[in-house]
């Protein structure tokens, strides 16, 4: 998986003021409803999705972007953030009750996607959810940063190839997430 540091540094800088309180609250309430206390966000960037998490939760995240992690660590000094790649996650097996992504798997090339999903399963004790742009055809999305960097994903179809139980696969209301993403929640089979 190729990584363009300049591209993602620019992306990070543009994200600095994009805190979506409704979305962060949704993540918090989802965690509460699932009864979890340890959470990991894959591709956490500057931590916007973690803004509503209470300090008594065990919250972790990882990202490939050093610039983003510097910001995240200063914003949330009580949480644990690591430099890491989604195809080789820097946490041990079964580390977290819940592992999630938001707008991360849409950037993973087809050749690495199954490995990334297997890694998410590996570090999760029980729950995994994704909030990703949905497309049955999984076509490339034209993006201002270039081609072959962004694709629609059908996470339900992809997760059903793994040993999981599908719990939810629904489009979030636009008032929570204006990007028209699908929320896909799965439970690892024991």
């Amino acid at each position: 998986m190729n990584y363009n540091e300049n591209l993602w540094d620019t992306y990070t800088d543009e994200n600095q003021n994009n805190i979506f309180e409704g979305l962060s609250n949704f993540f918090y309430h989802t965690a509460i409803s699932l009864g979890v206390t340890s959470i990991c966000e894959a591709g956490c960037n500057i931590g916007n999705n973690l803004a509503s998490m209470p300090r008594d939760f065990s919250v972790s995240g990882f990202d490939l972007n050093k610039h983003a992690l510097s910001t995240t660590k200063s914003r949330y000094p009580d949480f644990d953030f690591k430099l890491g790649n989604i195809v080789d996650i820097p946490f041990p097996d079964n580390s977290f009750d819940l592992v999630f992504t938001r707008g991360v798997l849409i950037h993973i090339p087809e050749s690495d996607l199954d490995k990334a999903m297997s890694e998410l399963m590996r570090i999760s004790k029980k729950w995994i959810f994704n909030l990703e742009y949905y497309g049955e055809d999984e076509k490339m999305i034209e993006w201002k940063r270039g081609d072959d960097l962004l694709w629609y994903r059908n996470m339900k179809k992809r997760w059903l190839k793994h040993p999981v139980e599908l719990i939810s696969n629904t489009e979030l209301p636009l008032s929570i997430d204006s990007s028209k993403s699908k929320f896909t929640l799965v439970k690892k089979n024991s």
Side-chain angles (χ1 to χ4, degrees):
M1 189 162 87
N2 292 330
Y3 181 74
N4 181 330
E5 190 170 340
N6 291 330
L7 181 149
W8 294 107
D9 283 354
T10 301
Y11 175 84
T12 295
D13 290 339
E14 291 173 0
N15 257 345
Q16 294 290 340
N17 298 318
N18 290 339
I19 296 177
F20 303 106
E21 189 174 325
L23 197 52
S24 177
N25 285 333
F26 173 78
F27 293 143
Y28 165 70
H29 290 288
T30 299
I32 293 294
S33 70
L34 295 174
V36 305
T37 59
S38 62
I39 297 165
C40 181
E41 181 179 9
C44 61
N45 196 261
I46 60 172
N48 287 344
N49 298 321
L50 302 170
S52 296
M53 293 298 167
R55 300 308 178 252
D56 61 340
F57 270 35
S58 172
V59 178
S60 299
F62 66 91
D63 203 288
L64 269 175
N65 188 298
K66 293 175 191 172
H67 176 56
L69 285 175
S70 174
T71 300
T72 305
K73 288 176 179 181
S74 66
R75 288 173 78 191
Y76 306 105
D78 297 333
F79 298 164
D80 178 31
F81 297 102
K82 296 184 182 205
L83 183 66
N85 189 323
I86 197 165
V87 296
D88 188 19
I89 298 175
F91 291 104
D93 295 358
N94 302 308
S95 293
F96 306 100
D97 298 329
L98 170 66
V99 177
F100 76 95
T101 66
R102 176 180 177 251
V104 172
L105 298 176
I106 57 176
H107 294 291
I108 305 301
E110 180 66 34
S111 60
D112 293 325
L113 194 55
D114 280 336
K115 175 66 175 154
M117 293 172 68
S118 293
E119 280 289 280
L120 295 174
M121 280 189 56
R122 180 185 66 75
I123 67 167
S124 173
K125 292 178 191 174
K126 188 172 186 179
W127 304 103
I128 304 163
F129 78 70
N130 312 117
L131 189 59
E132 306 288 343
Y133 295 158
Y134 174 76
E136 191 68 39
D137 57 13
E138 299 200 346
K139 289 185 178 179
M140 184 188 77
I141 301 170
E142 290 185 26
W143 195 29
K144 66 182 178 181
R145 301 186 201 295
D147 290 342
D148 293 324
L149 295 170
L150 184 64
W151 297 269
Y152 291 109
R153 295 293 187 217
N154 181 342
M155 295 312 300
K156 174 185 174 183
K157 177 179 81 176
R158 289 186 174 273
W159 277 118
L160 290 177
K161 296 176 184 177
H162 293 266
V164 298
E165 177 184 350
L166 180 69
I167 304 300
S168 178
N169 188 54
T170 187
E171 196 170 297
L172 288 182
L174 293 176
S175 61
I176 294 175
D177 184 16
S178 62
S179 65
K180 297 182 181 177
S181 300
K182 273 216 176 169
F183 170 75
T184 307
L185 172 66
V186 297
K187 179 181 174 186
K188 281 176 64 172
N189 289 336
S190 302

